Amino acid sequence: MALRRDWVYENNGGTCVAIAGTDYCVIAADTRLSVGYSIYTRDYSKICKLADKCVMASSGFQGDLKALQKNLAARHLIYQHQHNKQMSCPAMAQLLSNTLYYKRFFPYYTFNILGGLDSDGKGCVYTYDAVGSYERVGYSAQGTGAGLIIPVLDNQLKSPSPLLLPAKDAVTPLSETEAIDVVKDVFASATERDIYTGDKVEIVVINASGIRQELMELRKD
Amino acid sequence: MFRNQYDTDVTTWSPAGRLFQVEYAMEAVKQGAAAVGLRSTSHVVLATVNKAASDLSSHQRKVFKIDDHIGVAIAGLTADGRVLSRYLRNECINHAFVYESPLPVSRLVVRLADKAQVCTQRSWKRPYGVGLLVAGLDETGAHLYYNCPSGNYFEYQAFAIGSRSQAAKTYMERRFEAFNNYSRDELIKDAIFAIRETLQGEKLTSSICTVAIVGIGEPFHMIDQKIIQEVIDSVEIKEDAAAADQAPAQDDDKSSEAAPMDI
């Protein structure tokens, strides 16, 4: 609870993961919203569809996330009016970065992952810090469970690690179903050890045929 | 006689109590290509005639989507219309951002009217030279408004603006009482006919008109040219058949009457 007037943020916990494939993108986030050692709700979506082929998932302060999502949605509407088409994922990625840096001195307390298909139909994932520094990667995790998940993804995805130099195209060669299984596994594992992760995981898959969503139950303790 | 003395400034009244600059702006609307709007209880249709500056150029855009539930058709200075459309879009986006719900049509037209009024009371501005037919759907139902450069706005069951619009108005005056119960397709058909009235015998094809619709369960969108052409063709086939057979007049009685002369 915000009892200090110089600290206006809250960390609502939770974890987000995204994996890019050759023609798909998987974005997942758990649905638990917590404050301190309490759970506020087990059923809160951290994922937002920004454009036809572009989805954002974020953990951190959900109040700021809500405002950020509304901001981007409004900017996307303006873009559509001006250009008569949907924003591409790389364009939205740049817009998100600029929007975050705009508040460099009173940041959005959100740790974002943007996932979707780029203009060639290949999966793309962009990962951000709170003030807009971003990078296109093949996979990413953010949030309280990220530290538990990223090493597993480094190991399981059989794609070049983002730590390599020169940067290699890090899209995973795994199939869509295999990638979804990896996502389910990492969430189940993170749930075991991270108190802020659990309840349900919302998995969104973007591919050429559109966007679909599935929910998987996680441990509720 | 004294028109020219009092028409230099929008902030100058004439002795008869008129603002000539505003009236001149309304003239600009009358010179623009025609636009019509029709409304039923569940849908609103807008149709416009697309004039091209020359055979080499593209057609002027006269219908703008403002939001999922609102669209406008303009007549007059299309540049002014484009700028006002941008303003209207912004208002809708801002309202939806704050209230998480679509801006009611009546509120939008008031804001537009207030914006137009400002330009009639500032010496360094000029009135917008464009009339807008605002078609929208909100909680209170389907609405069609006309916003004119003077800052006035009125709600209509059906209306037409632009050159030769009187022909379309006459056509609709005979039928408007039934519009509320029209189906979506009947409304589209009548909009196309109303537009045809303004063409004064010129051949109506889907390439020179734009039709857009908004309704319950149907966000604002332009209707595909193919569908418009089908509607035009289906009616012309009926008309040719009626003319050939000398059959008794159909209930719409289109084939036997000449297009009314405009004023």
Side-chain angles (χ1 to χ4, degrees):
Chain A
M1 222 178 336
L3 292 169
R4 299 174 54 152
R5 279 155 78 220
D6 60 338
W7 185 250
V8 294
Y9 298 107
E10 242 171 30
N11 190 347
N12 297 121
T15 312
C16 310
V17 167
I19 300 177
T22 43
D23 60 350
Y24 66 89
C25 186
V26 181
I27 302 101
D30 72 323
T31 61
R32 174 177 289 178
L33 194 130
S34 343
V35 172
Y37 287 124
S38 307
I39 296 178
Y40 273 0
T41 178
R42 299 188 190 275
D43 203 7
Y44 190 81
S45 174
K46 300 189 189 56
I47 298 184
C48 176
K49 175 179 158 185
L50 294 176
D52 247 1
K53 303 277 176 184
C54 188
V55 163
M56 179 172 81
S58 332
S59 68
F61 176 35
Q62 294 302 317
D64 271 353
L65 174 60
K66 201 59 178 190
L68 181 61
Q69 286 171 351
K70 290 181 74 160
N71 208 320
L72 292 173
R75 290 298 305 273
H76 186 223
L77 246 191
I78 295 174
Y79 182 96
Q80 282 178 83
H81 280 142
Q82 290 176 340
H83 303 267
N84 234 10
K85 62 175 189 144
Q86 299 265 330
M87 269 179 101
S88 66
C89 200
M92 187 58 86
Q94 185 66 49
L95 177 64
L96 174 55
S97 169
N98 291 346
T99 308
L100 292 170
Y101 196 80
Y102 193 74
K103 278 171 60 75
R104 170 69 177 78
F105 300 111
F106 184 9
Y108 287 105
Y109 194 97
T110 56
F111 301 99
N112 307 291
I113 308 181
L114 203 70
L117 301 179
D118 65 12
S119 328
D120 302 319
K122 263 175 57 177
C124 62
V125 169
Y126 296 88
T127 190
Y128 295 77
D129 72 358
V131 285
S133 165
Y134 80 111
E135 188 190 1
R136 179 170 176 175
V137 288
Y139 57 90
S140 176
Q142 293 274 15
T144 47
L148 299 165
I149 292 179
I150 296 225
V152 179
L153 294 182
D154 284 338
N155 179 269
Q156 288 295 308
L157 286 183
K158 301 178 177 37
S159 57
S161 159
L163 299 166
L164 283 174
L165 270 178
K168 282 219 198 108
D169 179 13
V171 153
T172 179
L174 291 179
S175 76
E176 189 180 304
T177 25
E178 287 172 324
I180 295 174
D181 283 343
V182 168
V183 164
K184 290 181 176 173
D185 284 342
V186 293
F187 264 97
S189 306
T191 304
E192 294 291 317
R193 293 286 183 175
D194 177 23
I195 61 171
Y196 295 108
T197 304
D199 292 326
K200 283 196 279 283
V201 56
E202 187 185 356
I203 304 175
V204 170
V205 184
I206 308 181
N207 52 27
S209 30
I211 303 189
R212 73 166 200 284
Q213 190 210 40
E214 57 180 279
L215 282 164
M216 183 182 90
E217 296 291 324
L218 293 172
R219 283 186 65 161
K220 312 212 177 295
D221 63 358
Chain B
M1 181 172 100
F2 291 110
R3 204 159 134 128
N4 290 335
Q5 257 190 303
Y6 304 103
D7 66 356
T8 316
D9 229 299
V10 74
T11 50
T12 305
W13 289 99
S14 81
R18 295 157 73 173
L19 289 170
F20 285 122
Q21 279 296 311
V22 176
E23 293 183 24
Y24 293 167
M26 284 154 68
E27 266 308 306
V29 177
K30 292 186 203 153
Q31 301 301 327
V36 314
L38 300 77
R39 184 197 93 196
S40 75
T41 43
S42 61
H43 288 78
V44 195
V45 175
L46 295 171
T48 63
V49 172
N50 296 342
K51 246 198 288 200
S54 78
D55 285 332
L56 297 169
S57 78
S58 62
H59 292 289
Q60 285 269 14
R61 264 221 317 166
K62 287 165 58 73
V63 182
F64 297 92
K65 174 171 172 172
I66 301 300
D67 203 346
D68 280 340
H69 65 299
I70 300 182
V72 302
I74 63 171
L77 265 53
T78 42
D80 283 2
R82 203 179 58 235
V83 158
L84 286 177
S85 298
R86 197 160 54 220
Y87 167 75
L88 295 175
R89 284 169 177 165
N90 229 35
E91 293 295 294
C92 286
I93 290 175
N94 290 339
H95 186 274
F97 188 95
V98 175
Y99 298 103
E100 287 277 332
S101 75
L103 178 58
V105 193
S106 50
R107 306 246 178 106
L108 183 66
V109 295
V110 173
R111 295 201 200 162
L112 181 59
D114 286 347
K115 192 168 163 74
Q117 191 280 338
V118 166
C119 298
T120 67
Q121 211 174 10
R122 307 278 185 270
S123 61
W124 62 90
K125 285 182 180 252
R126 63 155 179 83
Y128 287 104
V130 63
L132 292 97
L133 284 172
V134 182
L137 195 74
D138 57 28
E139 280 180 345
T140 52
H143 299 279
L144 174 69
Y145 288 91
Y146 171 54
N147 278 71
C148 77
S150 60
N152 276 332
Y153 65 96
F154 303 96
E155 184 163 8
Y156 287 95
Q157 183 78 47
F159 201 51
I161 57 178
S163 68
R164 299 193 286 232
S165 55
Q166 187 53 52
K169 275 190 255 191
T170 313
Y171 174 84
M172 295 191 290
E173 268 163 24
R174 269 181 253 126
R175 293 171 173 71
F176 75 94
E177 271 146 349
F179 282 172
N180 262 335
N181 298 321
Y182 266 27
S183 74
R184 174 192 182 276
D185 295 329
E186 284 171 320
L187 214 60
I188 294 172
K189 205 156 67 133
D190 256 28
I192 294 177
F193 281 141
I195 278 290
R196 198 173 71 159
E197 298 296 311
T198 69
L199 289 173
Q200 288 281 101
E202 206 183 306
K203 177 116 174 79
L204 173 70
T205 62
S206 62
S207 57
I208 58 165
C209 69
T210 305
V211 184
I213 188 168
V214 62
I216 294 178
E218 191 172 357
F220 185 89
H221 65 281
M222 319 279 184
I223 296 182
D224 195 57
Q225 299 288 64
K226 271 203 304 259
I227 299 179
I228 302 177
Q229 193 58 49
E230 277 167 24
V231 174
I232 296 172
D233 291 338
S234 73
V235 166
E236 266 162 26
I237 292 172
K238 271 204 309 205
E239 282 186 357
D240 291 341
D245 298 344
Q246 296 261 308
Q250 302 159 319
D251 43 340
D252 288 318
D253 208 20
K254 281 169 208 44
S255 49
S256 41
E257 71 200 13
M261 296 299 289
D262 67 335
I263 295 169

